[in-house]
Amino acid sequence: QVQFVESGGGLVEPGGSLRLSCVVSGTTFSDYNWGWYRQSPGKQREEVASMTRVGSINYASGVTGRFTISRDDAQNTVYLQMNRLKPEDTARYYCTRVMYRRNTDNYEHVGSWGQGTQVTVSE
């Protein structure tokens, strides 16, 4: 079973930065596409960014230019560098495997979730 261990969240002031990490185990990391999702209280979990095994990247419109997804296949780790954080970025962030769905022309979550890491952006 694929397992995820997310870390790097915390409390940060608006305009600040955080770097999230997610160590993946239980699968051949380099064979798959990975992504980050987030969920705020009362809202649906939403995609933040995804990165394919060949390096193609997609971002949600609200984070483009501020967030950067990357991966280290040797370390089985996917990262999310978050800069110029805003209060609306406050959420619990999860990494997960993603798969391209032709019917939506988008990469979407498949399989299990980790526990996530909390990001709070506040004065």
Side-chain angles (χ1 to χ4, degrees):
Q1 182 178 350
V2 182
Q3 294 186 321
F4 306 90
V5 179
E6 299 99 334
S7 62
L11 173 64
V12 63
E13 292 184 347
S17 298
L18 285 173
R19 189 192 194 205
L20 307 184
S21 300
C22 174
V23 179
V24 182
S25 61
T27 190
T28 305
F29 180 87
S30 59
D31 285 351
Y32 297 104
N33 312 317
W34 305 100
W36 286 93
Y37 278 65
R38 66 186 180 186
Q39 188 170 21
S40 306
K43 294 186 177 181
Q44 283 191 327
R45 200 168 294 191
E46 62 178 2
E47 182 186 3
V48 176
S50 63
M51 187 172 189
T52 71
R53 62 186 180 90
V54 296
S56 297
I57 293 174
N58 287 286
Y59 294 105
S61 58
V63 306
T64 300
R66 299 189 297 121
F67 290 10
T68 303
I69 188 172
S70 61
R71 59 190 288 167
D72 183 340
D73 289 359
Q75 298 295 324
N76 290 0
T77 302
V78 59
Y79 301 98
L80 186 67
Q81 176 67 44
M82 305 187 296
N83 298 328
R84 291 184 281 139
L85 282 160
K86 304 176 181 180
E88 51 262 46
D89 295 319
T90 295
R92 193 160 191 88
Y93 285 70
Y94 303 85
C95 70
T96 188
R97 183 185 163 204
V98 296
M99 179 180 290
Y100 177 74
R101 301 294 189 186
R102 188 172 297 178
N103 60 333
T104 60
D105 190 25
N106 198 12
Y107 287 88
E108 297 181 357
H109 154 74
V110 293
S112 59
W113 297 97
Q115 294 298 308
T117 185
Q118 178 67 35
V119 172
T120 303
V121 185
S122 179
E123 297 283 357

